[in-house]
Amino acid sequence: MLSEKDQELVDAAREAIARRYRNDWQEVGAALRTRSGRIVTGVNLDAYLGRMAVCAEAVALGQMVTQLGEFGIDTIVAVRHPKPGEADRAIRIVSPCGACRELIFDYDRNARVIVPNGDGETVVPIGDLLPKKYSRERSL
Ligand SMILES: [Zn+2]
């Protein structure tokens, strides 16, 4: 069971992608709570040239930095909108991809991440999703 604040974050991510969904272009939404308690959202930017695509978490992070001038992540979550032909119409929580795990860790190594867990969801520290992360230092 998620806390009320975490559920509020999931709802914000769902609302973001429900509002901006476009098949093949915007299919994932993300929401993050900053260290000061404010919520920002983002949706992914897919691209004809696949390597130019940007994940929803990165867009939300960009919003946090650009719009709020904040840099710390309390909690972050991403959700995926189903495609038109999919029988399951639920907008479900998805785990951040490897690149986003790096990005989240870089901005806040104590960030909490809401991830799927069996039929439900759970909250884990970003470090648990990225053991032995790459570092130029040896001390991480
Ligand atoms: Zn990603």
Side-chain angles (χ1 to χ4, degrees):
M1 275 292 285
L2 295 178
S3 71
E4 208 168 290
K5 281 175 85 175
D6 288 340
Q7 189 57 55
E8 182 188 15
L9 208 56
V10 174
D11 292 344
R14 285 193 172 121
E15 197 181 304
I17 194 56
R19 196 178 330 124
R20 301 293 180 226
Y21 175 78
R22 291 192 304 151
N23 187 32
D24 285 343
W25 291 99
Q26 277 74 48
E27 298 184 336
V28 177
L32 71 82
R33 186 183 303 279
T34 69
R35 287 278 163 203
S36 75
R38 292 192 276 186
I39 291 177
V40 290
T41 59
V43 297
N44 74 302
L45 305 174
D46 212 334
Y48 182 74
L49 193 60
R51 67 186 171 84
M52 297 307 296
V54 181
C55 290
E57 296 95 319
V59 173
L61 217 79
Q63 293 276 31
M64 173 181 79
V65 173
T66 307
Q67 304 297 334
L68 305 179
E70 291 192 44
F71 302 94
I73 304 164
D74 177 84
T75 307
I76 186 165
V77 65
V79 298
R80 178 186 171 274
H81 191 291
K83 286 183 160 291
E86 286 178 39
D88 183 355
R89 303 308 303 158
I91 299 176
R92 297 197 183 279
I93 296 170
V94 290
S95 279
C97 75
C100 284
R101 293 174 191 208
E102 294 270 352
L103 186 64
I104 294 163
F105 191 102
D106 286 347
Y107 276 79
D108 196 320
R109 63 182 58 187
N110 296 309
R112 302 163 68 247
V113 187
I114 303 171
V115 293
N117 185 34
D119 288 338
E121 53 278 318
T122 190
V123 186
V124 296
I126 185 63
D128 284 12
L129 299 178
L130 206 59
K132 304 200 185 305
K133 181 193 183 306
Y134 166 77
S135 172
R136 286 178 292 257
E137 309 148 34
R138 291 181 52 89
S139 58
L140 277 185

